[in-house]
Amino acid sequence: MKKWRKRLVKFLIFDLAIVLLLLGTGVIYQQVGLRQDAKTLVPPGKLYEVHGDNMHLYTGGEGDVTVVLASGWGTANPYVDYYPLYEKLAPNTKFAVYDRFGYGYSDQTDKKRDVDTVAEELHELLQVSGQKPPYVLVGHSLGSLETIRFAQKYPDLVKGIVMIDGGSPEYYSNDDDSLADTIGGFANKFRIQTGLFRLSMQSDMVVETSNANRNELKLEPDDLKKLDTTALLHNYGNVNTLDELREIATNAKVVVNHKQTLPFPLTILTADYLGASEPEWDKSQVEFKSWSDDSKQVTIKDTDHYIHQYRPDIVADEILALVKK
């Protein structure tokens, strides 16, 4: 029995050593990958100092109106994500794609992700980068909150707003932070820090699955697809994106508490989720029109949440209609 116990202890020690070796290798793999990501993620636009940190802005096109594109939560690289849309906009108007802190090519910041701070950061970025108003604000998904709050704080600068499957403030005010708990939880942090998430993203099948609601990025060039994956590996689960999730309900209530009829047009584009939309979401999208007397809501057929990855032509036409209005 003593011999068997000694052998068992040796086996357990050996197994533990193997596990520790694998974990150590995974941690090194993740850290090396992060350094390589940083070298690959060369800003296509320019970096501007905003509140002491660097924010990225990519611009193009020409015109007297600037279309400001706000991405949704978890969109790791807005420059890539909005490519099909700003390619349609560029011949007709000026556009500006910005990365919130913790996204794309922007720094991470130690400032809370409350909606007032985010709106003020956008305002300063547009000022220091020389983007002249009037602005047509475009908000995808959770980007709806910062665009409306910006319009509430700086109404004289805004010509109109277009929502790309953006949630209404009332809808988001009932959000819970369960997703933040999941992404910021021990299991997911372990997956990221030990390189398991990075390793999984080497599989084409996993990448395609992660891009399923973005039309598998079929409208993107291959080099931009790779940049998108790199940005995801670099930014996924960082403190700023987690804080945004935790602040959803609070931020939405701030916007609702300042609700006044917007003095400009509001266009709400809603995905039909490829025929699988939810009645509660659809109802909230129709009710979203109450934010402006000059509003309309349109459901775009055969699209998922990232409507601009399916029908950038329709989205661009709606945006340009407000530019020209």
Side-chain angles (χ1 to χ4, degrees):
M1 288 295 294
K2 289 184 178 179
K3 289 183 178 180
W4 278 106
R5 286 177 182 172
K6 288 182 179 179
R7 288 178 182 177
L8 180 59
V9 170
K10 287 181 180 179
F11 281 132
L12 291 174
I13 292 173
F14 178 76
D15 290 346
L16 179 60
I18 293 296
V19 170
L20 292 175
L21 177 62
L22 290 174
L23 288 177
T25 302
V27 170
I28 293 171
Y29 171 63
Q30 171 66 4
Q31 294 305 311
V32 170
L34 286 174
R35 287 195 289 271
Q36 186 59 46
D37 295 342
K39 293 179 181 178
T40 303
L41 291 172
V42 179
K46 294 183 179 180
L47 297 174
Y48 298 91
E49 185 175 323
V50 174
H51 293 185
D53 296 298
N54 289 321
M55 262 184 110
H56 177 252
L57 186 72
Y58 178 78
T59 63
E62 295 181 354
D64 298 327
V65 177
T66 304
V67 176
V68 181
L69 301 167
S71 64
W73 181 86
T75 303
N77 195 329
Y79 159 73
V80 173
D81 180 63
Y82 271 128
Y83 169 83
L85 180 55
Y86 63 66
E87 284 290 288
K88 300 286 185 185
L89 296 173
N92 303 288
T93 189
K94 187 172 185 181
F95 69 85
V97 183
Y98 70 98
D99 299 342
R100 295 188 298 276
F101 288 121
Y103 288 82
Y105 306 87
S106 292
D107 291 342
Q108 292 183 36
T109 181
D110 58 1
K111 297 176 179 63
K112 291 290 292 180
R113 298 294 80 203
D114 63 276
V115 72
D116 279 317
T117 296
V118 174
E120 289 163 6
E121 289 167 350
L122 173 57
H123 181 248
E124 183 172 336
L125 175 65
L126 294 173
Q127 282 193 318
V128 299
S129 63
Q131 309 309 310
K132 296 180 180 179
Y135 306 125
V136 168
L137 305 177
V138 178
H140 172 237
S141 193
L142 189 58
S144 63
L145 295 182
E146 66 209 62
T147 53
I148 293 180
R149 189 65 184 127
F150 182 99
Q152 289 174 332
K153 295 170 75 71
Y154 314 104
D156 294 341
L157 304 181
V158 180
K159 183 179 178 68
I161 296 179
V162 175
M163 296 299 178
I164 304 176
D165 216 42
S168 71
E170 291 88 351
Y171 181 87
Y172 284 134
S173 66
N174 296 313
D175 189 85
D176 60 40
D177 57 3
S178 59
L179 184 57
D181 291 339
T182 300
I183 295 178
F186 173 78
N188 202 46
K189 284 184 177 179
F190 180 86
R191 192 166 69 107
I192 295 170
Q193 294 172 2
T194 59
L196 291 174
F197 175 67
R198 182 177 295 274
L199 184 62
S200 71
M201 291 299 290
Q202 304 311 306
S203 164
D204 291 340
M205 183 182 300
V206 173
V207 173
E208 288 173 6
T209 300
S210 72
N211 291 330
N213 68 344
R214 292 197 285 167
N215 198 23
E216 298 178 358
L217 298 183
K218 291 177 181 177
L219 303 182
E220 305 275 356
D222 288 342
D223 58 333
L224 292 191
K225 291 180 183 178
K226 292 178 181 177
L227 273 180
D228 187 80
T229 300
T230 300
L232 177 61
L233 291 170
H234 193 70
N235 294 321
Y236 180 59
N238 68 48
V239 292
N240 294 155
T241 59
L242 286 175
D243 199 27
E244 281 186 358
L245 282 180
R246 294 191 182 98
E247 294 292 320
I248 289 177
T250 300
N251 285 341
K253 288 171 184 174
V254 169
V255 178
V256 171
N257 289 340
H258 289 85
K259 184 173 182 178
Q260 290 183 330
T261 302
L262 297 173
F264 39 72
L266 169 64
T267 298
I268 300 150
L269 304 180
T270 305
D272 73 341
Y273 287 80
L274 304 175
S277 59
E278 298 178 359
E280 183 181 352
W281 174 259
D282 290 342
K283 181 174 180 288
S284 71
Q285 289 285 285
V286 174
E287 293 172 346
F288 202 171
K289 293 192 297 180
S290 68
W291 281 78
S292 171
D293 289 335
D294 185 3
S295 64
K296 71 174 182 176
Q297 183 268 329
V298 182
T299 297
I300 311 301
K301 299 295 184 182
D302 301 319
T303 62
D304 211 323
H305 186 46
Y306 287 73
I307 299 173
H308 51 287
Q309 287 288 349
Y310 291 82
R311 297 301 307 269
D313 53 334
I314 293 178
V315 179
D317 286 345
E318 294 292 348
I319 293 170
L320 291 173
L322 293 194
V323 168
K324 299 170 182 176
K325 199 163 185 175

